[in-house]
């Protein structure tokens, strides 16, 4: 006697019904829910690793002050933040071509940006490191 037929629509994703002893389950040309390789979350984390985010405040300052954010500038900023992180910094000022970026190293977020023209009036507080990138 054969066992009851399983309706694949009633099986939760990632679980396959047990096949009778001595037989192999037919896939019907569909994936069983088991995938090989990294998960979406792992890929997303790898893509975001090392990338800095910009706070809304920082984006406003960059736009208002006309600060250059070319690929070269961003790369040097990310490198400077990574150097600060390697030394155990939490909040750092990263200088790139005369522009100071205040970075929350733990959160990988640029908090604000100050160009040379406005730097004379600015006081940086709660900073535990400075990096020249």
């Amino acid at each position: 006697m054969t066992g009851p037929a399983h309706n694949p629509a009633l099986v939760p994703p990632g679980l396959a019904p047990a096949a009778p002893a001595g037989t192999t389950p037919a896939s019907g040309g569909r994936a069983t829910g088991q995938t090989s390789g990294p998960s979406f979350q792992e890929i997303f984390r790898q893509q975001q690793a090392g990338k800095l985010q910009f706070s809304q405040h920082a984006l406003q300052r960059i736009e208002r002050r006309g600060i250059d954010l070319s690929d070269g500038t961003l790369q040097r900023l990310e490198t400077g933040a990574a150097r600060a992180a390697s030394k155990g910094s939490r909040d750092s000022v990263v200088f790139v071509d005369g522009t100071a970026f205040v970075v929350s190293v733990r959160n990988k977020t640029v908090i604000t940006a100050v160009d040379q023209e406005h730097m004379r009036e600015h006081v940086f507080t709660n900073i535990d490191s400075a990096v020249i990138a």
Side-chain angles (χ1 to χ4, degrees):
M1 176 175 210
T2 62
H6 292 283
N7 182 345
L10 300 176
V11 177
L15 298 177
T23 64
T24 58
S27 67
R30 292 187 300 177
T32 62
Q34 300 276 339
T35 59
S36 62
S39 69
F40 172 78
Q41 187 174 22
E42 291 169 0
I43 293 170
F44 183 74
R45 282 186 189 152
Q46 289 172 356
Q47 291 294 321
Q48 294 301 315
K51 301 236 179 184
L52 290 175
Q53 299 177 7
F54 288 81
S55 70
Q56 197 65 19
H57 176 79
L59 291 173
Q60 290 171 355
R61 292 294 184 260
I62 289 166
E63 183 179 345
R64 186 181 307 148
R65 295 173 177 162
I67 296 172
D68 173 42
L69 280 184
S70 65
D71 288 340
T73 302
L74 287 175
Q75 181 63 37
R76 290 172 57 199
L77 177 58
E78 288 177 0
T79 301
R83 286 174 44 204
S86 72
K87 298 292 184 178
S89 296
R90 289 177 284 172
D91 295 297
S92 182
V93 175
V94 181
F95 292 96
V96 180
D97 295 333
T99 302
F101 296 92
V102 178
V103 179
S104 171
V105 178
R106 284 184 178 173
N107 299 330
K108 295 185 179 182
T109 303
V110 177
I111 298 168
T112 192
V114 182
D115 59 353
Q116 282 183 328
E117 183 179 325
H118 295 93
M119 212 174 293
R120 293 177 196 233
E121 307 164 4
H122 208 78
V123 175
F124 298 106
T125 59
N126 300 322
I127 302 298
D128 61 11
S129 63
V131 179
I132 300 172

